[in-house]
Amino acid sequence: MADPVNEGAREHFDVDQDFITYLNGECLEWAWMDYESLQRTLKAQGEPLHSMVVEQRPGLFAAAPVFISELQLRQMREVIAAVEEVAGKPEPHSPLGVFYGYDFHLNEQGAHLIEINTNAGGAFLNALLIDSQRGLFLYGSAVFEYRLEHIFIEMFRNEWKLAHGDTPLKVVAILDEKPETQYLYPEFLLAKQMFERAGIAAHIADLTELQVREDGLYCGGDRIDLVYNRLTDFDLQQYPSIRAAWKNKQIVLTPNPSHYRHYADKRRLVLFSDAAALREQGVSQTSIDALLKGVPRTRLVQAQDAEQWWAERKDWFFKPVSGYGSKGTYRGDKLTKRVFDEIMQSDYVAQRLALPGERKVCAENSEPQMLKYDVRCYVYDGHIQLIAARLYQGQTTNFRTPGGGFALVRAVC
């Protein structure tokens, strides 16, 4: 199959970003989602996963890929490497934390790190999407050199190995609050299938299904070795039994509260965008330059500065310190005075507004429309495993937009 991107289309563009803007601004037939192939891949997973996605979550996968430039890709890598330097190495024999999600807005000014998630969802679903679209030209040589499933299972095994050496990993619990009610529950099923194919018993569990015993944590009669943590109470204050089992080293918990504090607490963005504080910590100038260029200025919100914040609100995006999934986040130009006053009395940070990119989508049975997108790098031990995008309408990401959802990413050389 010929690659339309590299067959003369670029010759009309002198600036790399102009070419990316063109690709994302057109409904190019050769770049549409192959829905038939996706359907076949979903059916191969069996029921109930197929019906869950097709019938109950039609907005899960986007109708078109997102194009990014090599420059934007390089900028994202530089920011990730710089964050890793600032965060430092974990304690010996400690897990590194699976599926860190580095979320970026890409625009004409470059790649801008909006936040880091330490329990980023979607990796298994995006791996399935990539596998279903092998005929398209996608980012990531690793996708083709190895199956992502192999990369993922070795990551979990390494988390266990860091704490227990060569002792085999036998039992995993995929833990969330009422997991069957979660929108991304289908990927819990994909994760369970992956573990079982690797000879590892796996339970998708709510806290009520776990039993704390003197020698550890149990589910369905099995002693749990490793917990794949999808809970959004990042400090586990509401889950003292899980926290105690982790602190007492009865389980390997990944990701865990330590990972959250070092990477995903929104106050870390304040540090990442503060040159003086970074120099004081001895961060290299190379990393400081990457962070100042790639992380929008972020500040703690304090009530005594309310008058200034109100005057400048249109330039900022307000986020709760301990929030997740875009809950409680607000663009300053959309704020009412009532909500603004509530923010001033709460724990918030404000991040300089960095607009997301836009992608034109021609969804079936609807008019072409421009959707916003962000790009998520799934990272383990500082290395990008895969890159995906999320297409959406409105203020923040969602999976309810026709033609939106998780999208393939193509880095254009």
Side-chain angles (χ1 to χ4, degrees), residues 112-340:
H112 312 275
L113 180 67
I114 303 305
E115 64 181 14
I116 304 172
N117 295 284
T118 49
N119 66 344
F124 291 96
L125 290 165
N126 280 294
L128 181 145
L129 177 61
I130 289 170
D131 190 55
S132 76
Q133 307 291 304
R134 292 285 173 151
L136 296 180
F137 293 85
L138 309 172
Y139 159 74
S141 59
V143 170
F144 300 101
E145 292 174 8
Y146 304 100
R147 288 185 62 84
L148 282 168
E149 179 169 312
H150 172 80
I151 294 173
F152 292 167
I153 198 69
E154 290 305 309
M155 171 178 63
F156 281 99
R157 281 179 167 147
N158 190 59
E159 292 289 90
W160 172 255
K161 185 176 182 179
L162 287 168
H164 295 280
D166 293 331
T167 304
L169 173 61
K170 295 181 179 179
V171 183
V172 169
I174 304 161
L175 180 64
D176 203 348
E177 185 175 351
K178 299 179 180 178
E180 293 186 5
T181 69
Q182 302 296 329
Y183 191 79
L184 294 185
Y185 178 68
E187 79 164 352
F188 295 179
L189 296 175
L190 291 171
K192 185 176 188 295
Q193 292 173 4
M194 177 196 73
F195 286 120
E196 290 174 345
R197 282 192 291 267
I200 300 169
H203 301 269
I204 301 173
D206 179 83
L207 187 68
T208 58
E209 299 175 80
L210 302 181
Q211 303 91 42
V212 180
R213 302 181 188 175
E214 187 174 342
D215 62 334
L217 201 63
Y218 283 76
C219 183
D222 291 335
R223 187 178 186 276
I224 302 300
D225 294 328
L226 181 147
V227 172
Y228 171 30
N229 178 22
R230 294 295 293 265
L231 295 166
T232 53
D233 176 12
F234 304 110
D235 281 330
L236 301 178
Q237 296 301 323
Q238 301 176 55
Y239 306 98
S241 59
I242 301 297
R243 186 178 178 86
W246 165 60
K247 295 292 284 185
N248 294 332
K249 301 186 184 302
Q250 293 176 314
I251 55 170
V252 170
L253 180 68
T254 182
N256 62 48
S258 177
H259 302 141
Y260 174 77
R261 288 194 299 272
H262 281 85
Y263 288 88
D265 187 308
K266 300 297 189 297
R267 288 167 291 201
R268 299 295 280 173
L269 295 168
V270 177
L271 170 62
F272 297 154
S273 62
D274 186 335
L278 292 168
R279 291 192 187 98
E280 188 174 329
Q281 289 199 8
V283 177
S284 69
Q285 190 60 48
T286 298
S287 290
I288 291 174
D289 292 343
L291 290 169
L292 295 185
K293 184 177 181 181
V295 182
R297 186 73 171 99
T298 308
R299 295 166 49 194
L300 287 172
V301 172
Q302 296 179 318
Q304 61 262 34
D305 301 322
E307 185 175 340
Q308 181 181 356
W309 281 122
W310 180 253
E312 299 179 4
R313 68 191 184 282
K314 294 181 181 180
D315 298 326
W316 298 86
F317 201 98
F318 295 84
K319 303 179 178 183
V321 165
S322 58
Y324 67 92
S326 301
K327 293 185 177 181
T329 63
Y330 300 95
R331 272 184 58 158
D333 57 352
K334 307 293 184 183
L335 279 175
T336 65
K337 192 63 169 65
R338 178 188 63 80
V339 172
F340 175 81

Side-chain angles (χ1 to χ4, degrees), residues 19-61:
F19 186 54
I20 297 299
T21 301
Y22 160 74
L23 291 173
N24 285 326
E26 297 292 332
C27 289
L28 303 168
E29 185 174 353
W30 53 266
W32 292 351
M33 163 80 75
D34 185 344
Y35 276 109
E36 290 185 2
S37 181
L38 177 60
Q39 286 277 0
R40 288 194 298 270
T41 303
L42 284 168
K43 287 180 179 177
Q45 307 303 313
E47 296 293 350
L49 191 141
H50 173 259
S51 60
M52 281 184 183
V53 174
V54 174
E55 298 174 10
Q56 302 171 27
R57 296 164 174 84
L60 197 54
F61 295 116

